[in-house]
Amino acid sequence: MWTFLIRRLLQSIIVLIGVTLISFISLQMGGDPTYLFVSENASVEEIQRAREALGFDRPLPVQYLSYVWNALHGDFGNSLSYRQPAMGVVLEAMPATIELTFFSLVLAIGLSIPLGIFAALNRGRPVDGGIMTLAMLGQSIPNFWMGIMMILYFGLYLGWFPISGHVPFLEPLFAGEFSTAFRNLPQSMYYMVLPALAVGTYTLARNARLIRSSMLEVLGQDYVRTARSKGISETRVVMHHAMRNAWLPVVTMIGLEFGFLLGGVVVVETVFSYPGIGRLVFNAINQRDIPVVQASVILLAGIFILLNLIVDLIYARLDPRVKL
């Protein structure tokens, strides 16, 4: 187990180094970054002094090592728009995105599991075809279009849900204001219904198809037929015998989905004016606030790598064969 863990940790470190390298190179590909830190009317001498002060006159390998060293100490530079540390700006927006991502994941998992099982148990019937057709549509429709349609119909036409805004839940919870946090929870969930559906539709559709195919494979195994021949109830056969082994690919997908959803909220948060990290990155790109973009990319990559590592460990626990 320790060899497996060490190997995964080394792989995670290599991936994180690759992310820092790509984010650094992308900054250099955009041209001389010095011009982002000086005014449009700066003279040649002022630009040169700024270049030397910022260290952009040094060789690129030296700049990269300096960038990594500063990043290891939590220094990602100052935001050009907010005039404060970039990572601090990103961390302020992170709780709202985690709320939306978590709620989207719970919504997607809570619906995909019963839909996938029900479709597998009714294989070849009209209800199976209907569920799989809806799943195909859910995977085909872009989430930003889904969000716009939800705003127009459920927000503006029916007036059931708000089309923008956010009531914080995690921020007061982290601050120790538990009464405020749980008082905000119903409103927070109410504001997240539409964006969570827009974000989680693809995950819901894909997981429903995955659970269906996994269940169909397991239901055809000999031990399931043996359990049925012993007179065990169908509910116990499905939930105790079949689901126990059908969970393995599902656990992998669920663990990774949180990371995928974090990266997929950028457009949805912009559509719903949701004050999370996705909207922050979108605005930072428009304003060429490179430090904020870099800090966001590295933070999201770090979270995704950590989740991937946790999933590997859970998978190794569920199926010891993967450690080989």
Side-chain angles (χ1 to χ4, degrees), residues 34-35 38-51:
T34 307
Y35 292 98
V38 297
S39 65
E40 296 180 356
N41 301 321
S43 63
V44 177
E45 292 78 11
E46 290 174 335
I47 294 174
Q48 183 59 32
R49 285 197 298 269
R51 184 178 292 112

Side-chain angles (χ1 to χ4, degrees), residues 221-234 237:
Q221 299 295 323
D222 292 338
Y223 67 88
V224 174
R225 287 193 290 267
T226 302
R228 284 172 171 163
S229 67
K230 291 180 178 179
I232 299 176
S233 65
E234 186 66 16
V237 169

Side-chain angles (χ1 to χ4, degrees), residues 291-305:
V292 170
V293 175
Q294 286 183 308
S296 302
V297 168
I298 292 177
L299 179 61
L300 291 175
I303 293 174
F304 186 83
I305 291 169

Side-chain angles (χ1 to χ4, degrees), residues 94-151:
M94 198 66 195
T97 296
I98 293 177
E99 289 177 27
L100 175 58
T101 304
F102 182 76
F103 190 59
S104 302
L105 187 62
V106 170
L107 190 65
I109 295 172
L111 293 176
S112 63
I113 291 176
L115 286 175
I117 295 175
F118 190 67
L121 295 177
N122 293 274
R123 180 182 183 181
R125 297 179 183 176
V127 65
D128 178 31
I131 292 175
M132 289 301 100
T133 300
L134 291 176
M136 289 286 289
L137 287 174
Q139 287 188 274
S140 305
I141 297 175
N143 56 11
F144 67 87
W145 185 88
M146 178 76 72
I148 293 172
M149 293 301 103
M150 287 180 176
I151 288 174

Side-chain angles (χ1 to χ4, degrees), residues 198-219:
V199 173
T201 298
Y202 179 86
T203 299
L204 166 61
R206 183 171 64 180
N207 285 349
R209 297 182 64 192
L210 175 65
I211 291 170
R212 176 186 179 272
S213 61
S214 182
M215 280 295 296
L216 288 176
E217 180 180 355
V218 171
L219 288 173

Side-chain angles (χ1 to χ4, degrees), residues 59-257:
L60 288 181
V62 176
Q63 291 186 46
Y64 173 69
L65 292 176
S66 176
Y67 166 69
V68 172
W69 178 256
N70 291 334
L72 289 173
H73 290 80
D75 182 9
F76 292 86
N78 289 328
S79 168
L80 306 181
S81 304
Y82 297 90
R83 304 297 179 184
Q84 53 182 299
M87 183 55 75
V89 174
V90 175
L91 291 176
E92 288 180 5
M94 198 66 195
T97 296
I98 293 177
E99 289 177 27
L100 175 58
T101 304
F102 182 76
F103 190 59
S104 302
L105 187 62
V106 170
L107 190 65
I109 295 172
L111 293 176
S112 63
I113 291 176
L115 286 175
I117 295 175
F118 190 67
L121 295 177
N122 293 274
R123 180 182 183 181
R125 297 179 183 176
V127 65
D128 178 31
I131 292 175
M132 289 301 100
T133 300
L134 291 176
M136 289 286 289
L137 287 174
Q139 287 188 274
S140 305
I141 297 175
N143 56 11
F144 67 87
W145 185 88
M146 178 76 72
I148 293 172
M149 293 301 103
M150 287 180 176
I151 288 174
L152 292 176
Y153 188 71
F154 294 106
L156 297 179
Y157 181 70
L158 296 177
W160 288 356
F161 300 100
I163 61 175
S164 63
H166 167 244
V167 177
F169 168 70
L170 285 183
E171 289 183 17
L173 190 65
F174 290 158
E177 302 172 2
F178 299 104
S179 59
T180 302
F182 288 103
R183 188 168 59 248
N184 289 349
L185 182 58
Q187 282 187 305
S188 180
M189 295 177 65
Y190 179 63
Y191 272 85
M192 283 192 293
V193 169
L194 292 186
L197 281 173
V199 173
T201 298
Y202 179 86
T203 299
L204 166 61
R206 183 171 64 180
N207 285 349
R209 297 182 64 192
L210 175 65
I211 291 170
R212 176 186 179 272
S213 61
S214 182
M215 280 295 296
L216 288 176
E217 180 180 355
V218 171
L219 288 173
Q221 299 295 323
D222 292 338
Y223 67 88
V224 174
R225 287 193 290 267
T226 302
R228 284 172 171 163
S229 67
K230 291 180 178 179
I232 299 176
S233 65
E234 186 66 16
T235 301
R236 183 171 174 80
V237 169
V238 171
M239 302 307 298
H240 181 72
H241 295 278
M243 276 300 296
R244 189 172 184 178
N245 291 284
W247 265 113
L248 290 177
V250 177
V251 166
T252 303
M253 289 303 302
I254 290 175
L256 296 178
E257 281 298 346

